[in-house]
Amino acid sequence: YDYLKNHSFERMDDRTIMRVTFAYGVQQARLDAGFFLEMYTKGRSDDYLKVAKEMETALGIPFSMAERVWFAEEANRLRSLKEQMQEDEEERWVMQIRVHKLIHHVSLIHGFAFTDDAALEKGLLAHILSSLNTQALPDTETVRPHIDRDYPNLRAAIQQAADIVFGTNTFTEGETVFWAMHFAAALVKPVRRREYRALVVCSAGLGSSKMLVNRLKQEFPEMQDVVNSSLFGLEQHRLDDYDVILSTVPLPPLSVPTLMVNPLLTTEEVQRVRHLLLSLPQSFQTKDVKPHSTTLDFRELGELVETFERMDRQFDLVTLDNSDRLEDILFDIGTHLEERGLVESGIQLSAQLLRRHEVAGLGIPGTKLALFHGRHASIERASVFAFDLTTSIPLLMMDQSTEPVSRLLVLLASEDARDIELQFLSAVSGSLIESEDHMTLYSTGSKKELRLLLHDCMKNMIQDALHEK
């Protein structure tokens, strides 16, 4: 295995190496049992025979020419299989683009927004890819009348769109009947009577958890009732009130199904969460809707404005003449905030931020930005700061990769921070992943541009407070 893994001639991926190692293990077991091959060696690849000869040397076991040929053919077969898998993957990507276009054209022709249904695209893609490898299709005559009766003009719209995307008569009329079944399923919108309730946990209850909350709402429309919490505030929640707990940090065993995930919720983790939801026996009943008040709470609005005015006045973008050690950078940040009267001990703050980074990466993949956040007894007042580094440093990302970082966004809150302060800090971290433009501005924007982003979060919170009334 080690020999193949490092062999420049093969450049196999790990899965292929495992398969070929297993095949050669079976070959060795056969030889040990006294069964030897005899075969005609005409027309064999000299390159692969050379690899077989080198493997013979690496293992220190002499093979006959017939065994070397078997060895070479096995490597050649697996490489051909790997190349075929790569070709299949490329074909899938091309077909996915075409299916997306097909759904777009059907939406325009039929007058219904099928593009909003992700399940339709996945199902249709799988069906078309499968049909390309099938010589005969099942009879659709019994289905066709029902489709045409219940969904008039749908098949005509699909056929017209198929001619545009794939070319005239590329797919038969019988095939488009099956496509119509997928589109018809999208037209039948089931009424969701229940929603999943999720508790999202990170070390401080802001920053990472808010990013995860936003990603969950994007990927799981059925999971709109999502609450975020700090690790130390977990005991304040009745865990039985939730269907599932998702955490960005390790948790002890709990009574509720729990899953540790990346704050950015990668594609693989979306599948893990979905499998977990599907394994749940049922969701809790939809929460009761609170009646809206008819009067304004001027005290609450005044507290909002006072908090936002103070945090806006405190905000700053600071440039650090930094070393290449994260410990030194965080110490400089702690010292700066201590001089501003925002923390009691810069040393304690820097140690807490460093521990938070060691629990899980804080860099935002694909950017030069890292989100440092936390709650600590040494923090006097909640605040938002940005620090630019004169020299970028390699930092662990939230997806566990390592990339250079040149800006640190720091969100801090005291242990006894008010709900308004925590909500604002969570709103800031959540707005990071709202759009590509936001990500770019947070990563490279000027102080003025960053303040505008903070003001957007403030305005949204004020509008939400007014809407609740």
Side-chain angles (χ1 to χ4, degrees):
Y1 176 89
D2 289 338
Y3 172 79
L4 282 175
K5 186 175 181 180
N6 296 311
H7 200 288
S8 59
F9 180 80
E10 285 301 322
R11 292 189 179 88
M12 296 180 180
D13 55 51
D14 282 352
R15 180 174 294 182
T16 305
I17 294 173
M18 283 293 191
R19 293 183 63 173
V20 76
T21 304
F22 176 79
Y24 297 157
V26 173
Q27 179 195 24
Q28 189 59 46
R30 175 174 51 76
L31 292 173
D32 292 343
F35 294 92
F36 303 97
L37 295 180
E38 293 182 5
M39 63 179 69
Y40 184 50
T41 60
K42 181 179 179 180
R44 309 302 176 188
S45 166
D46 291 337
D47 286 333
Y48 275 99
L49 287 177
K50 179 176 181 294
V51 174
K53 183 71 169 62
E54 290 176 0
M55 180 62 85
E56 179 186 43
T57 303
L59 294 175
I61 302 172
F63 293 151
S64 67
M65 177 55 73
E67 295 293 345
R68 291 180 192 169
V69 169
W70 183 91
F71 194 111
E73 286 188 334
E74 184 68 14
N76 190 40
R77 184 184 70 81
L78 286 172
R79 188 164 84 165
S80 298
L81 177 62
K82 186 180 71 172
E83 292 172 350
Q84 180 61 47
M85 290 172 63
Q86 291 174 342
E87 291 175 2
D88 291 344
E89 186 64 22
E90 291 172 0
E91 178 186 359
R92 180 182 180 86
W93 277 108
V94 172
M95 186 57 71
Q96 184 170 352
I97 294 173
R98 290 181 174 176
V99 168
H100 187 78
K101 290 182 177 178
L102 173 73
I103 295 173
H104 174 72
H105 283 291
V106 173
S107 298
L108 293 177
I109 298 170
H110 194 67
F112 183 86
F114 291 106
T115 50
D116 295 336
D117 195 321
L120 169 62
E121 183 170 331
K122 291 179 181 178
L124 199 57
L125 174 63
H127 178 90
I128 293 177
L129 287 173
S130 174
S131 68
L132 292 175
N133 299 317
T134 304
Q135 296 301 317
L137 290 173
D139 182 26
T140 59
E141 291 303 317
T142 56
V143 180
R144 189 196 312 263
H146 297 282
I147 292 289
D148 292 343
R149 180 195 65 202
D150 297 336
Y151 306 97
N153 304 320
L154 178 59
R155 276 204 313 112
I158 293 172
Q159 189 66 60
Q160 185 178 344
D163 291 343
I164 295 172
V165 176
F166 297 101
T168 305
N169 297 326
T170 301
F171 289 94
T172 65
E173 185 177 298
E175 181 65 18
T176 58
V177 172
F178 278 97
W179 295 9
M181 293 170 65
H182 286 275
F183 281 97
L187 288 170
V188 181
K189 295 295 181 182
V191 178
R192 188 174 68 250
R193 292 175 296 176
R194 293 172 176 173
E195 291 182 348
Y196 290 102
R197 293 183 176 182
L199 180 64
V200 171
V201 181
C202 83
S203 63
L206 52 95
S208 303
S209 61
K210 184 60 178 180
M211 296 174 71
L212 180 55
V213 167
N214 285 1
R215 287 286 292 124
L216 287 170
K217 290 182 177 180
Q218 290 171 4
E219 295 290 343
F220 301 95
E222 68 274 32
M223 196 187 288
Q224 290 299 310
D225 191 4
V226 184
V227 177
N228 63 321
S229 167
S230 69
L231 179 60
F232 299 105
L234 196 58
E235 60 186 18
Q236 299 176 8
H237 295 269
R238 287 184 51 189
L239 300 187
D240 291 341
D241 288 344
Y242 301 96
D243 295 285
V244 63
I245 297 176
L246 302 172
S247 176
T248 64
V249 293
L251 294 177
L254 300 173
S255 59
V256 178
T258 304
L259 193 63
M260 182 175 170
V261 293
N262 186 303
L264 298 178
L265 205 66
T266 64
T267 303
E268 293 78 10
E269 288 172 326
V270 168
Q271 294 303 319
R272 288 171 58 203
V273 174
R274 188 164 298 286
H275 289 158
L276 177 59
L277 293 181
L278 292 174
S279 71
L280 299 176
Q282 67 176 16
S283 176
F284 289 93
Q285 293 293 334
T286 304
K287 62 181 179 181
D288 296 333
V289 178
K290 296 180 180 180
H292 283 195
S293 171
T294 57
T295 60
L296 291 172
D297 187 336
F298 294 106
R299 183 194 57 79
E300 180 185 346
L301 291 174
E303 189 178 2
L304 275 173
V305 174
E306 184 275 330
T307 300
F308 295 157
E309 191 277 332
R310 176 179 59 79
M311 297 189 77
D312 176 62
R313 187 175 62 254
Q314 290 173 350
F315 171 73
D316 201 0
L317 173 60
V318 181
T319 300
L320 297 178
D321 187 10
N322 63 287
S323 70
D324 58 356
R325 284 166 43 87
L326 179 61
E327 295 90 335
D328 296 337
I329 295 171
L330 295 179
F331 177 76
D332 290 342
I333 289 175
T335 301
H336 178 84
L337 296 177
E338 183 179 348
E339 292 172 351
R340 296 282 294 264
L342 298 173
V343 300
E344 181 180 344
S345 170
I347 295 177
Q348 291 182 9
L349 174 65
S350 62
Q352 194 268 346
L353 292 177
L354 184 61
R355 283 195 298 270
R356 178 64 185 88
H357 173 261
E358 290 171 348
V359 170
L362 299 176
I364 312 296
T367 74
K368 295 186 180 298
L369 177 71
L371 175 63
F372 279 79
H373 54 282
R375 295 173 68 180
H376 195 262
S378 67
I379 298 171
E380 298 279 358
R381 311 188 80 175
S383 58
V384 179
F385 275 83
F387 293 88
D388 277 346
L389 308 181
T390 53
T391 305
S392 61
I393 61 169
L395 209 63
L396 188 65
M397 300 285 116
M398 290 181 176
D399 63 359
Q400 303 306 301
S401 64
T402 300
E403 297 181 28
V405 166
S406 57
R407 174 174 287 182
L408 309 184
L409 185 64
V410 180
L411 310 180
L412 302 176
S414 61
E415 289 288 3
D416 57 351
R418 295 175 297 165
D419 287 343
I420 288 176
E421 293 173 325
L422 296 177
Q423 290 170 16
F424 174 65
L425 295 176
S426 294
V428 172
S429 61
S431 72
L432 268 170
I433 60 171
E434 259 185 35
S435 66
E436 291 292 335
D437 289 341
H438 275 201
M439 196 84 78
T440 301
L441 286 174
Y442 275 111
S443 302
T444 61
S446 64
K447 178 179 178 180
K448 179 179 179 181
E449 289 171 325
L450 291 176
R451 285 189 67 215
L452 289 175
L453 290 172
L454 299 183
H455 282 206
D456 282 341
C457 295
M458 295 171 184
K459 287 186 287 187
N460 290 336
M461 285 185 63
I462 292 174
Q463 289 172 355
D464 288 344
L466 292 173
H467 178 69
E468 289 174 0
K469 303 303 178 187

